[in-house]
Each structure stands twice: as structure tokens, then as C-alpha cells.
Amino acid sequence: GAGVSQTPSNKVTEKGKYVELRCDPISGHTALYWYRQSLGQGPEFLIYFQGTGAADDSGLPNDRFFAVRPEGSVSTLKIQRTERGDSAVYLCASSPGPQETQYFGPGTRLLVL
Amino acid sequence: KNEVEQSPQNLTAQEGEFITINCSYSVGISALHWLQQHPGGGIVSLFMLSSGKKKHGRLIATINIQEKHSSLHITASHPRDSAVYICACRVSGSRLTFGEGTQLTVNP
């Protein structure tokens, strides 16, 4: 069966541009998580969806970051007015339900020039 | 001070050696995860535990809730075990708080 997939695998953009990162969770998984990992560091939590709703968005660094999961499956992380400091690997994970083992996607490597 | 701290940051071993990676946390948790991250970024969940000990093949994970400490052990290490090992704690709700990872290199 397919695991968590993320697209694109790499994204290079210019400062100030808008980007969208997509996550396809494992089919049937109700919980979906976004994390950000900077070079040499552990991931940090951004947002968690249970179904269609954002159950915890306390990790989003500022209002330039927004995420949606309109049908409770695919999720899109949206970053407006990108800054060089947004450069990182953005990881998505899903789990069958809350507080269960999380399965990670390969990540999207974002580089803001 | 991070809520989740790992040691050592880097570890180099010879093939066959017994390896221990430690994780300490400073807050109450509902579960602790050990994750493996290979070059290129892919993360695999190794264990999720809330008490006691779990074993899978050559990997063993233990947790001591009273001491707020967990260890990941690798027996008979092999070069293919080379990766970053990350400890992550479920502090509140379903979000995970991660340690900075331990870079393990096993030489043949």
C-alpha cells in the first residue's frame, strides 16, 4: 500500500513569493501533521488536523503560514510572502487516529532565495 | 533548555558494537517515540512506548517514567544502522516535541 506522499519533493522560490506544499496521507488516516525541519535540527511541530479541522495550529510561526484539509484527506500547507528563513524540509505525517503511530512522508525541501 | 534532550549528539561505532542512545525529557508525557531518519530525509517510526520496554529485532527501547528518561539500544550494530535517531515526546494532545537527534555512524 502507498505511504504518505508529498509534492513537490523540492521547491526553489524567490523571497516574497507564495508557495503551496501538498501532502497525501495514507488512505483512511484521520490524523495529519505538518512539521518543519531545519538543517541539523529535529523537526518542529506546525499543525495537526483531525479530519477536516485543525485541532492544534499552535506551531504555525506566524500568519504567513496556513494549512487546509478540506475533505479530510489531502492537505496543503500554504506560505505567503516567503522569507529566506522559511527554507527547511517540510514534513507531513499521518496516523490512523490521534495519539497513534505517525507515518512520515519523504518531505518537501523548500529553498527560498 | 529543550524539553527533549538527546545524548550523544554524534556517535561513531565499529560494526558489531552495542549502542545506546539516551533521551531525557523535562515535562509530563503520554508517550515517547523513537524515529530513524536516513540521509535524504525519510523518517521511520521505530517504537512508540509509554512504559517498560519494547524489542524489535536488534533494537530495544526502554522508558523510565519516574526518571523521565528513555534509551534506544542497538545490538550487533551494522553499517546499515547508520542514520539519525530522533526521540520525540507526545506532550499534549497529539503533537510531538522532538529532540535534536543523534547522528550514528557504524563503520565496517
Side-chain angles (χ1 to χ4, degrees), chain A residues 33 35 37 40-43 45 48 56 58 91 98-102 104 106 109, chain B residues 30 33 35 37 40-43 45 48 86 90 92-96 98-100:
Chain A
Y33 312 81
Y35 300 97
Q37 186 174 26
Q41 299 185 13
F45 170 81
Y48 153 57
D56 183 352
S58 61
L91 295 163
Q99 304 188 10
E100 297 189 57
T101 296
Q102 296 182 24
F104 286 80
R109 195 171 302 271
Chain B
S30 56
H33 298 246
L35 310 168
Q37 186 170 31
I43 292 179
S45 181
M48 179 174 70
I86 302 172
R90 195 163 68 226
S92 63
S94 293
R95 63 182 293 175
L96 295 178
F98 295 79
E100 296 201 347

Side-chain angles (χ1 to χ4, degrees), chain A residues 3 5-6 11 14 16 24 28 33-35 39 44 47 50 52 57 65 76-77 80 87 89 93 105-106 108 113:
Chain A
S5 62
Q6 293 185 244
K11 176 71 177 178
E14 294 178 343
D24 278 87
Y33 312 81
W34 282 100
Y35 300 97
L39 193 62
E44 57 176 349
I47 186 169
Q50 180 56 41
T52 59
D57 65 356
F65 288 74
T76 304
L77 178 67
Q80 297 178 320
S87 298
V89 176
T108 293
L113 300 176

Side-chain angles (χ1 to χ4, degrees), chain A residues 4-5 31 36 44 54 59 68 74 78 90 95 98 109:
Chain A
V4 178
S5 62
R36 176 169 73 172
E44 57 176 349
V68 295
V74 170
K78 308 180 181 197
Y90 289 81
S95 62
R109 195 171 302 271

